[in-house]
Structure formats: structure tokens, C-alpha cells
Amino acid sequence: MKRIGILTAGGDTPALNATIHGAVVRANQCNIEVYGFIKGFSSLFNRRVPHVPLNPLFTSIPELDPTRGGTLLGASRDYIDPEDQPAIGEIADRLHRLRIDGLICVGGDGTLSGMIPLAEHLPTVLAPKTIDNDLGLNYPGEPDEWERSPCSLAQGGYRYARKRSHVAFDPEQMVNYVTPGFATAVFVSAMGVQRIRTTAESHRRIAIIEVMGRRSGYIALGAAYGQPDIVLVPEQPLDVAPLVERVREIYDLQKNVVIVCAEGVMDEHGRELGAESSSTDPAGNVILSGAAEALRRILVERLGDDYFTSKRRNESARAAIFTRKVGHTQRGGRPILFDRFHAAQLGGHAVSLLLEGRMNCAAILQWDRECGFHLDGVNANDFRDRWGLIHARQLHATFYDPVGMRPSPVGIDYLAPIFAGAIGADDVEAIRHTLFDPGNLSRPYHSVNIDVGKRIRFLDGMPTRTPALDRLRCA
């Protein structure tokens, strides 16, 4: 291969630039040009295909900083419809005119679905990212456990559900043990829990902290590092009576309670607590107005004002219980060491998979007790069910203790290898040298988009490979 493309799709994560950087470093070693496509798949729908050469003369451009969060290429939630053959043909033609020999898509399950139609036209691989850690399998063959039934109310006319599994779980069998972006999101969430705790403790209050996780409770599980009293995940339907009793018990003891809940927490009937809006996001998902607020209303009603006023601690239940969303803070900012290192590894491995001729596959990060973390590749179709859908990986039942409402011993063992050395000394040094730089008070923020914008090229009228560059390759 002489020239490959790379794009970032879906929501941003802290590790995207590190993934791009790893891919470019590997490409430089192999004398391969890398073109970065602006704003994900949307650039491929643009006739001019805005793109940026990321390694002119096989040297990485200075704007490509693996310690910077987000993505210098931009991202969007535009995806390719596998049924739209005319559009796919036009995109394939544009990539051919750009002389792209292979494509790396950096993203999650939506990106994996979106790249599959292109894999029929050129070698295409996925470098995974998602803060939710929901791209992967608890064990090989897990997609085969999904069943579907007709439902007029469900999107697409079918409802999907998992049948009971009889597979003995072992973390070493997990496909894609952890995804870049997750560790940083947990770091931010756990720090948020610790900071909210002191306010709840000082004012004798109950704090409900909402973290991301529509279908998977990995971030909520990891936020247990911040020592919340209760953790609620989407995989375990909420049983209100035991929850209220547990809140009373903790509050009577320590005069404060901190609850972490994932945004997709469900009630006993399987309905999302926060799904009170009829509008949808760009991916077609119902916008969640707030699981934390819904949970607060439940506690206000069940505990009542008398519980707090009788103790002379607060004026009312409404005043005693407050909510906070960590929100997009989880997916922004500088990635911590674990994400930077392994994202770069996966980016470089994606290039290697292209060179090996692996088509329609994903670079993955595996773990076992003997070797620790290591790289591998898997066929993208291994993530799909029999109807071609890719479902979000959910917490395995053994990871969560529904009685204690906290991570189980198995869940703790799962998290330990990820976070044992997740933060490096340079993470702390970066805070010391950059956050309180006196120049920050006088210098305006300089966006990387300004510098990247000066490098953008377009398909119309762009030069193809030059004889000089071809001679350099031969040399």
C-alpha cells in the first residue's frame, strides 16, 4: 500500500488523536502516505472530499499531538447506508480518484456498521474507541444469543432481546477487553464523585451523579473508584423499595449519601428512567432528559419532607437531594496514560492489519493473566447478530452486585488491570505546567482547527502522486 485514509466518526473521545498518531507513526515506518478525512464519513459524501495529508515526506505534521483530546480531523455522526448503493459507488469512486489503497475508521459500533459497505470496495479496518466501553463481546459467539420479535412500537419494527446464556464467563475470553477513551472517562467521573462527596458531606445532603452509559454501565462501574455509596447500572432494573431502604440506612449512619447512576438506568418494567423526551439525537436514539432527575423525584416522594425536617438537617426533601451530570466532561480533555498508550498501539496495529490484507476487521486490545494486554484482530462480522446488527456490549451479570448495589468481586478484578497503572507521572506534570500557565490569562485560546484548516486539500484539481515522490519511494 502506498496511500491510506483515516477518519474519526461518532462522538469524540480523549484518545482519538493518540490513535491517529499511532497509525501515522506506523505508516511512516512503512513509507505510506496517510490522508485524514475531515469530519468523518461526511467528508466522503462531499464531492470535494476535504482531507489533510498527515505525513508529508513521511513526517507527522506538528498539529498531530497524541496528548490532545478530541480529534484534529473533526467527527460527525453521518454514516453510510448499506442499502444506498449509488452513494456507496460514488464514495468508492472518490477514494479511487484519491488513490486510497486502504481505509482506517476510528470509532465505535456505529462506525463499524458504517464501514462494512465500504469494505466491499477497498480494504477497511476499524480502530476502536468509545468512552462507554461497549464495543466488544463478553465471549465469542455472544451475538448469536440475540433474538428478535415483531413490535410496531420499536424502531425498525422489531424488538431485540437476549436469551439466557449458559456460557461460563472468563475475562480472558472477552473480545476487545477495553476500549480507548474509557479509562479517561472513568478518571473524570471518579474525580467528580470525590468532589461532590465533600459538598454532600458538609451540607448533609443526598447527591445523585449521572454518568454516561445508555446501554452499558461500565463508566458507572468504574466510577466506584470515587467511593460512592450506591452504583446503579442499566443492566440491572431498578427496584425502588430496596434502594430507598438502603439510602435511609446510609443517611442515618453518615448524614450524607452519594449515588452514581448511568444515564440509561431502567425501572422494573424495562423503561429508561430518563427517556421523557420524544426527540432523538443524530444517531436516532431517544434523548434522555435525565435519569438522575427521575431518580431524585422518586426519592423525594418516597422519603418525604418529614424524614429530613424531623432531623433538623434540611428544610425539605427537595432541598436535601440534588443532582449533577458529569456530561461531556467525561469525553473531553487530555487522555491519561492508559488511553494514550493503547490507543496509539491500536492505531499502529490497524495499519499492520491493512498491510496483512485483513479486510473488514477490527484491531482489538486483549488481556490475559499471563501476558497482560496485547493486540489482536477480529473479523468485524463477529460482532454482528444473525440479522447483521451490532449490539452494545453490556456489563456481564457477574460484574455487578445487585444487593450491595456496587461492583462485585469479579467486576473489581475486571477493572484492576486497567487502572493499576492508568495514570503516568507526565499526566500530573501536564497539569502543573499547562493549567496555571500565567500566559493563559492573557493569550486567547488557539484552536487546532485554525492550523488544520490551512492544510485541507480537496479532490477537485488536487495533484496526484508526483514523479519526485515516486522516486523517493523507490529510493
Side-chain angles (χ1 to χ4, degrees):
M1 290 190 172
K2 295 183 178 180
R3 181 182 293 167
I4 63 175
I6 189 168
L7 59 82
T8 50
D12 61 301
T13 73
L16 288 172
N17 285 324
T19 304
I20 300 169
H21 185 268
V24 170
V25 168
R26 177 67 176 133
N28 288 341
Q29 296 169 348
C30 301
N31 286 352
I32 298 173
E33 292 181 280
V34 184
Y35 281 3
F37 294 112
I38 301 298
K39 292 198 68 178
F41 287 106
S42 67
S43 66
L44 304 184
F45 290 105
N46 187 327
R47 293 180 179 179
R48 302 184 68 196
V49 195
H51 59 277
V52 173
L54 295 174
N55 61 340
L57 298 179
F58 312 120
T59 302
S60 303
I61 61 174
E63 292 85 0
L64 182 50
D65 180 358
T67 67
R68 180 189 290 271
T71 165
L72 84 164
L73 298 177
S76 71
R77 295 189 183 274
D78 290 332
Y79 295 110
I80 297 174
D81 182 357
E83 304 299 324
D84 192 350
Q85 291 300 321
I88 296 172
E90 290 177 2
I91 291 172
D93 178 65
R94 291 166 192 153
L95 293 174
H96 177 72
R97 290 168 60 195
L98 280 170
R99 298 191 180 183
I100 299 296
D101 299 320
L103 179 66
I104 297 172
C105 301
V106 188
D109 53 359
T111 306
L112 186 59
S113 297
M115 80 174 206
I116 288 175
L118 288 180
E120 299 176 3
H121 298 269
L122 81 164
T124 307
V125 301
L126 180 91
K129 67 87 194 169
T130 171
I131 64 169
D132 294 322
N133 198 32
D134 59 359
L135 178 64
L137 305 173
N138 288 311
Y139 40 82
E142 187 177 28
D144 299 332
E145 297 176 351
W146 285 89
E147 298 177 328
R148 78 176 187 180
S149 57
C151 178
S152 58
L153 300 178
Q155 185 178 1
Y158 291 97
R159 184 182 300 278
Y160 294 84
R162 288 274 302 280
K163 64 182 180 182
R164 185 179 179 85
S165 175
H166 300 284
V167 176
F169 177 74
D170 184 342
E172 293 192 13
Q173 293 182 345
M174 295 182 72
V175 178
N176 201 30
Y177 188 89
V178 62
T179 304
F182 169 68
T184 304
V186 167
F187 168 73
V188 173
S189 299
M191 289 288 290
V193 172
Q194 288 186 336
R195 291 179 179 275
I196 292 296
R197 167 71 77 178
T198 57
T199 295
E201 206 167 37
S202 300
H203 295 278
R204 312 300 196 253
R205 295 191 175 181
I206 297 173
I208 306 171
I209 303 170
E210 182 178 321
V211 298
M212 289 185 175
R214 176 180 290 270
R215 297 284 183 266
S216 301
Y218 281 97
I219 296 179
L221 193 80
Y225 273 107
Q227 294 186 296
D229 301 298
I230 294 172
V231 174
L232 302 176
V233 298
E235 292 84 353
Q236 179 64 39
L238 181 64
D239 192 340
V240 174
L243 172 65
V244 174
E245 182 60 32
R246 181 64 177 150
V247 169
R248 284 178 178 271
E249 179 184 322
I250 297 171
Y251 192 84
D252 287 343
L253 175 66
Q254 62 187 31
K255 316 303 185 290
N256 69 93
V257 183
V258 174
I259 303 170
V260 168
C261 72
E263 63 180 333
V265 168
M266 297 185 178
D267 63 17
E268 63 272 21
H269 303 295
R271 296 188 299 254
E272 293 172 317
L273 286 184
E276 298 179 353
S277 172
S278 60
S279 57
T280 59
D281 64 14
N285 299 310
V286 173
I287 293 177
L288 302 182
S289 58
E293 284 297 332
L295 185 58
R296 176 176 179 264
R297 286 193 294 271
I298 292 172
L299 292 180
V300 166
E301 178 184 348
R302 293 297 186 97
L303 293 174
D305 293 342
D306 290 345
Y307 177 71
F308 296 98
T309 56
S310 63
K311 303 177 186 301
R312 296 179 179 274
R313 291 181 186 135
N314 284 283
E315 295 179 359
S316 65
R318 192 170 296 276
I321 306 171
F322 70 98
T323 64
R324 290 294 181 269
K325 283 188 178 183
V326 182
H328 282 80
T329 307
Q330 293 157 94
R331 68 184 334 143
R334 189 181 194 272
I336 61 175
L337 175 62
F338 182 92
D339 280 341
R340 293 197 312 275
F341 178 76
H342 291 295
Q345 280 194 316
L346 286 165
H349 191 56
V351 174
S352 297
L353 291 175
L354 285 177
L355 294 176
E356 293 169 9
R358 301 280 295 274
M359 298 181 63
N360 191 26
C361 70
I364 57 174
L365 186 62
Q366 298 293 91
W367 177 86
D368 61 50
R369 296 173 182 85
E370 182 177 348
C371 301
F373 288 103
H374 56 278
L375 302 172
D376 203 347
V378 63
N379 190 318
N381 284 328
D382 289 352
F383 293 104
R384 298 159 73 99
D385 67 14
R386 70 193 76 175
W387 301 281
L389 298 181
I390 298 174
H391 300 276
R393 175 172 62 185
Q394 298 181 321
L395 281 179
H396 193 268
T398 59
F399 283 9
Y400 182 73
D401 175 8
V403 177
M405 302 180 193
R406 56 173 292 108
S408 68
V410 176
I412 293 171
D413 288 343
Y414 167 78
L415 294 169
I418 302 171
F419 294 97
I423 298 176
D426 57 332
D427 291 317
V428 180
E429 282 297 300
I431 297 173
R432 192 166 70 89
H433 287 294
T434 62
L435 183 59
F436 292 116
D437 182 345
N440 290 349
L441 301 174
S442 56
R443 291 192 303 263
Y445 178 75
H446 182 79
S447 174
V448 68
N449 291 348
I450 297 174
D451 300 321
V452 172
K454 298 172 184 177
R455 295 183 178 273
I456 293 178
R457 294 183 183 180
F458 299 94
L459 177 59
D460 295 341
M462 70 155 289
T464 57
R465 296 182 184 134
T466 63
L469 184 57
D470 287 338
R471 286 195 299 271
L472 178 61
R473 290 180 188 281
C474 295

